[in-house]
């Protein structure tokens, strides 16, 4: 089978994105599983190679994936020639870096939408730099949603064989509790099942995590499960969905890791984040579902405190690429 093309926007030039991209191209497993194309600036990558302990790679400038040299130690880059190293400082918020980050993402999305690439694996961007550059989005998910015309993309975390969806994300815990409704749960389970099928995960049962201790103990510790979660699960079962819950949050993730469930619906942001990142912080990968293209991502930031020092680990970037390559064939087949 032809290896999938994974397009990688380079991320904020002042952050660790260029470093983890270069380091990832020294991993033979990546070379064996994917054809990686970087969207960025050659001058920024050249500078990154001068940082301490950075490997020396070949920078191969191309205009499309067909021109790539996908051997070990080669970085194939579509050079947007937008920003030069003397226009920013490493580890500092910079408006032009914010604009550059957006341009890299925009190009990568266009490549995936046109079929030039099979998946997008993203590197870190900086919210403050985006704002300084007058980019009207707070992060990747919002950018991808806008550029793919997707109203509400789904966030999935994968680590080892555990997948976690999120019913609510960036809101206060108080507001998240109010957002946990029967109708919202039903909607998310339906859409999550579509995403799982697109990824080639057709079998198994989805678990709904409980919100309160012991899932509320039938109203002793709260009524969210009684009023919203239980009714949603019962209605979903009547519709034919394989779903169970609510399952106590202190055990549901362990059970999913053991293979009892193909996925878990986390009811709020930190519930699922803590479970996945405690298991393996660096190999917890974010997948954005519900879009016409497949996107995987590192789940760490620009790490301005260590950017330019050559010490950042590329494990998360490598895992994001590998998961993109893992799911790309099924995803591409499902969208044809």
């Amino acid at each position: 089978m032809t290896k999938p093309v994974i397009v990688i926007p380079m991320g904020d030039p002042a952050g660790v994105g260029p470093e983890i991209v270069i380091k990832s191209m020294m991993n033979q497993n990546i070379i064996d599983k994917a054809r990686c194309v970087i969207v960025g600036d050659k001058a920024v990558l050249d500078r990154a190679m001068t940082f301490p302990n950075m490997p020396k790679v070949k920078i191969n400038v191309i205009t499309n994936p067909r021109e790539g040299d996908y051997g070990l130690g080669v970085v194939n880059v579509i050079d947007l020639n937008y920003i030069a190293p003397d226009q920013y400082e490493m580890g500092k918020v910079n408006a032009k870096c914010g604009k550059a980050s957006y341009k890299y993402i925009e190009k990568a999305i266009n490549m995936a939408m046109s079929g030039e690439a099979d998946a997008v694996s993203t590197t870190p961007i900086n919210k403050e730099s985006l704002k300084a550059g007058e980019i009207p989005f707070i992060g990747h998910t919002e950018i991808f949603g806008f550029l793919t015309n997707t109203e509400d993309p789904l966030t999935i975390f994968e680590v080892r064989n555990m997948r976690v969806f999120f019913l609510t994300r960036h809101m206060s815990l108080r507001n998240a509790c109010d957002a946990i409704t029967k109708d919202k749960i039903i909607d998310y389970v339906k859409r999550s099942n579509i995403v799982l099928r697109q990824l080639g995960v057709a079998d198994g049962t989805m678990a709904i995590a409980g919100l309160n201790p012991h899932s509320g103990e039938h109203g002793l510790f709260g009524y969210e499960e009684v009023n919203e979660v239980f009714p949603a699960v019962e209605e979903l079962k009547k519709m034919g969905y394989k779903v169970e819950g609510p399952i106590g949050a202190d055990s549901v993730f362990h059970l999913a890791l053991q293979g009892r469930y193909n996925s878990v619906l986390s009811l709020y942001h930190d519930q699922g984040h803590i479970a996945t990142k405690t298991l393996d912080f660096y190999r917890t990968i974010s997948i954005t579902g519900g879009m016409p293209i497949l996107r995987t991502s590192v789940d760490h930031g620009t790490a301005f405190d260590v950017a330019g020092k050559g010490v950042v680990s590329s494990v998360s970037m490598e895992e994001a690429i590998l998961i993109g390559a893992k799911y790309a064939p099924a995803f591409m087949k499902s969208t044809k």
Side-chain angles (χ1 to χ4, degrees):
M1 183 181 293
T2 303
K3 292 182 289 186
V5 173
I6 310 297
V7 60
I8 306 167
M10 191 180 67
D12 192 301
V16 296
E19 295 170 61
I20 61 176
V21 162
I22 289 172
K23 289 182 177 182
S24 295
M25 296 306 104
M26 298 298 292
N27 184 329
Q28 186 63 55
N29 197 26
I30 298 289
I31 304 307
D32 292 342
K33 300 289 178 59
R35 292 175 288 163
C36 296
V37 175
I38 316 305
V39 176
D41 278 284
K42 178 181 182 296
V44 174
L45 293 169
D46 285 336
R47 181 192 194 186
M49 274 197 295
T50 68
F51 299 154
N53 305 311
M54 286 294 292
K56 300 301 184 236
V57 297
K58 175 186 175 184
I59 306 294
N60 183 39
V61 177
I62 61 175
T63 59
N64 63 72
R66 294 187 301 276
E67 299 172 356
D69 173 359
Y70 298 105
L72 187 67
V74 180
V75 176
N76 295 287
V77 59
I78 294 177
D79 183 12
L80 299 193
N81 195 26
Y82 179 74
I83 191 169
D86 62 0
Q87 295 177 303
Y88 63 93
E89 291 183 55
M90 293 303 300
K92 302 290 185 182
V93 172
N94 182 288
K96 190 158 188 177
C97 286
K99 291 179 181 178
S101 300
Y102 180 80
K103 288 182 178 293
Y104 305 153
I105 296 166
E106 183 178 44
K107 173 64 175 176
I109 289 174
N110 287 340
M111 290 176 64
M113 292 287 283
S114 70
E116 279 189 282
D118 301 306
V120 182
S121 292
T122 55
T123 55
I125 57 178
N126 185 275
K127 292 178 174 61
E128 291 184 67
S129 293
L130 288 177
K131 184 176 180 180
E134 299 181 341
I135 304 299
F137 304 101
I138 63 170
H140 276 114
T141 303
E142 293 74 19
I143 294 172
F144 272 77
F146 175 74
L147 293 178
T148 64
N149 196 30
T150 304
E151 183 175 349
D152 184 19
L154 297 177
T155 296
I156 312 105
F157 274 13
E158 177 164 329
V159 56
R160 299 186 191 174
N161 63 328
M162 181 167 67
R163 304 175 193 89
V164 179
F165 290 83
F166 294 87
L167 185 70
T168 63
R169 296 192 295 271
H170 295 142
M171 60 176 65
S172 74
L173 185 55
R174 183 180 301 278
N175 290 338
C177 291
D178 293 336
I180 298 167
T181 66
K182 173 186 172 182
D183 289 345
K184 189 176 180 71
I185 293 168
I186 291 172
D187 174 62
Y188 263 64
V189 169
K190 287 179 176 179
R191 292 198 288 133
S192 296
N193 270 267
I194 293 171
V195 171
L196 288 170
R197 289 196 297 272
Q198 288 178 328
L199 299 179
V201 183
D203 299 325
T205 299
M206 185 178 197
I208 313 299
L211 175 68
N212 295 298
H214 308 292
S215 295
E217 290 279 17
H218 303 287
L220 288 176
F221 308 134
Y223 286 92
E224 287 83 1
E225 284 85 359
V226 172
N227 294 337
E228 307 296 342
V229 184
F230 275 114
V233 170
E234 290 306 307
E235 188 162 328
L236 285 162
K237 286 181 177 178
K238 290 177 182 177
M239 296 177 186
Y241 287 92
K242 294 181 178 179
V243 60
E244 289 185 14
I247 311 296
D250 59 351
S251 58
V252 68
F253 300 102
H254 168 75
L255 295 172
L257 187 64
Q258 300 306 307
R260 183 178 295 189
Y261 304 113
N262 66 13
S263 58
V264 178
L265 180 61
S266 168
L267 297 186
Y268 61 93
H269 181 280
D270 283 9
Q271 186 180 60
H273 277 244
I274 291 168
T276 53
K277 292 180 181 179
T278 299
L279 177 62
D280 194 328
F281 186 87
Y282 294 106
R283 288 184 170 82
T284 294
I285 298 304
S286 176
I287 305 169
T288 306
M291 302 189 299
I293 62 175
L294 174 63
R295 177 231 172 183
T296 64
S297 180
V298 300
D299 192 50
H300 62 75
T302 46
F304 275 174
D305 58 328
V306 297
K309 298 179 180 179
V311 298
V312 65
S313 170
S314 60
V315 168
S316 189
M317 182 79 257
E318 293 166 18
E319 195 71 11
I321 296 168
L322 290 171
I323 288 181
K326 167 186 170 183
Y327 286 130
F331 186 89
M332 297 302 291
K333 183 177 180 181
S334 74
T335 55
K336 286 182 179 179

